[in-house]
């Protein structure tokens, strides 16, 4: 546990669900790139969407069913890469274009409450409120130089966009690999371009 993780664990929601803190690569401080996804998700056998009582911290009810959590990256990134979710495989592939990998970044899911398996989160006012309150605290601790949202839903619901925050298409969607009619660059190209233009001016 490093000093940044210790600070993050002081945030209320992470003191309850400590395995949901942002992933922090061991060389994060070199470039301070924060990548923000959408949400965690539940195992396939969980049939109902989690209610807002998730934020009250009923661990026995919820924690065993959270399939993707940030701690997976800490445990399996370097040892068992084949088990990584496709979003992380595609981000890793794009990072390599700037001679970077997951050791150089931090990754975080904007919405804390998990979505149902293979669905997008059905947002409540509480989800948006908590997400925005928590991300402020995270940014104060991590002080990122570049913030890249890889979720449109997360980006549109983020209330305090800094000048160093950007949005690209989700790494598992069609537009990560192909341009839409109103885009100059497809998602992966835009992701690479944002990092290229920013890390070398640091």
């Amino acid at each position: 546990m490093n000093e940044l993780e210790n600070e993050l664990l002081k945030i209320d929601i992470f003191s309850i669900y400590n395995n949901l803190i942002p992933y922090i690569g061991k060389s994060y401080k070199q470039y301070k790139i924060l990548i923000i996804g959408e949400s965690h998700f539940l195992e396939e056998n969980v049939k109902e969407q989690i209610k807002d009582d998730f934020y009250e911290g009923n661990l026995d009810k919820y924690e065993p069913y959270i399939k993707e959590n940030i701690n997976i990256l800490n445990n399996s990134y370097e040892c068992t890469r084949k088990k990584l979710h496709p979003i992380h495989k595609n981000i890793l592939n794009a990072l390599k274009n700037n001679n970077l990998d997951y050791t150089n970044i931090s990754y975080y899911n904007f919405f804390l409450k998990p979505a149902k398996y293979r669905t997008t989160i059905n947002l409540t006012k509480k989800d948006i409120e908590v997400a925005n309150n928590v991300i402020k605290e995270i940014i104060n601790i991590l002080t990122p130089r570049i913030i890249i949202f890889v979720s449109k839903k997360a980006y549109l619901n983020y209330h305090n966009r800094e000048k160093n925050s950007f949005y690209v298409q989700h790494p598992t969607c069609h537009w990560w690999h192909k341009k839409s009619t109103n885009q100059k660059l497809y998602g992966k190209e835009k992701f690479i371009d944002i990092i290229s233009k920013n890390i070398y001016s640091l």
Side-chain angles (χ1 to χ4, degrees), residues 34 36 139 144-149 158 162 164-167:
L34 173 60
I36 301 180
I139 288 172
R145 297 190 184 104
I146 307 170
I147 302 171
I148 305 176
F149 282 79
Y158 177 42
E162 290 83 359
N164 63 338
S165 64
F166 306 90
Y167 161 71

Side-chain angles (χ1 to χ4, degrees), residues 126-148:
K126 185 72 171 178
D127 295 326
I128 298 169
E129 176 190 347
V130 171
N132 277 282
N133 288 339
V134 172
I135 195 63
K136 287 180 188 177
E137 295 186 82
I138 290 172
I139 288 172
N140 284 338
I141 293 169
L142 297 184
T143 60
R145 297 190 184 104
I146 307 170
I147 302 171
I148 305 176

Side-chain angles (χ1 to χ4, degrees), residues 16-101:
I16 299 171
Y17 297 105
N18 55 42
N19 66 327
L20 301 187
I21 67 170
Y23 161 79
I24 304 172
K26 61 185 178 183
S27 299
Y28 165 75
K29 288 185 177 181
Q30 183 176 0
Y31 298 109
K32 291 195 170 183
I33 300 168
L34 173 60
I35 299 173
I36 301 180
E38 185 168 306
S39 71
H40 308 279
F41 58 94
L42 298 167
E43 291 182 350
E44 189 172 7
N45 62 345
V46 180
K47 302 300 182 184
E48 296 182 4
Q49 172 66 49
I50 285 182
K51 304 273 193 287
D52 282 349
D53 65 350
F54 169 82
Y55 298 110
E56 297 171 10
N58 191 334
L59 297 182
D60 292 336
K61 185 176 180 181
Y62 295 128
E63 193 170 42
Y65 304 106
I66 300 173
K67 187 174 181 66
E68 185 207 39
N69 59 63
I70 301 304
N71 203 41
I72 290 174
L73 296 176
N74 288 310
N75 291 336
S76 68
Y77 169 65
E78 292 182 289
C79 299
T80 56
R81 294 185 184 185
K82 291 181 180 179
K83 293 182 180 180
L84 281 178
H85 189 279
I87 184 175
H88 302 303
K89 290 182 179 179
N90 288 338
I91 289 172
L92 174 60
N93 183 266
L95 286 168
K96 287 179 177 178
N97 283 267
N98 283 301
N99 297 314
L100 303 173
D101 61 23

Side-chain angles (χ1 to χ4, degrees), residues 94-198:
L95 286 168
K96 287 179 177 178
N97 283 267
N98 283 301
N99 297 314
L100 303 173
D101 61 23
Y102 265 56
T103 63
N104 304 113
I105 69 158
S106 178
Y107 181 90
Y108 173 67
N109 282 324
F110 186 67
F111 300 110
L112 275 299
K113 189 173 74 181
K116 286 177 65 177
Y117 186 72
R118 290 185 176 175
T119 65
T120 186
I121 186 171
N122 184 17
L123 288 177
T124 67
K125 290 182 179 179
K126 185 72 171 178
D127 295 326
I128 298 169
E129 176 190 347
V130 171
N132 277 282
N133 288 339
V134 172
I135 195 63
K136 287 180 188 177
E137 295 186 82
I138 290 172
I139 288 172
N140 284 338
I141 293 169
L142 297 184
T143 60
R145 297 190 184 104
I146 307 170
I147 302 171
I148 305 176
F149 282 79
V150 292
S151 160
K152 186 174 184 179
K153 179 175 283 192
Y155 186 69
L156 291 177
N157 284 284
Y158 177 42
H159 294 161
N160 296 293
R161 298 177 195 167
E162 290 83 359
K163 291 181 180 179
N164 63 338
S165 64
F166 306 90
Y167 161 71
V168 302
Q169 291 86 346
H170 194 281
T172 61
C173 83
H174 181 72
W175 305 117
W176 178 256
H177 298 287
K178 184 178 179 180
K179 283 191 293 188
S180 61
T181 53
N182 62 344
Q183 295 287 334
K184 294 181 180 179
L185 301 172
Y186 56 82
K188 180 181 177 181
E189 286 180 323
K190 188 177 178 182
F191 182 93
I192 294 167
D193 186 61
I194 289 167
I195 293 177
S196 296
K197 288 179 177 177
N198 285 276

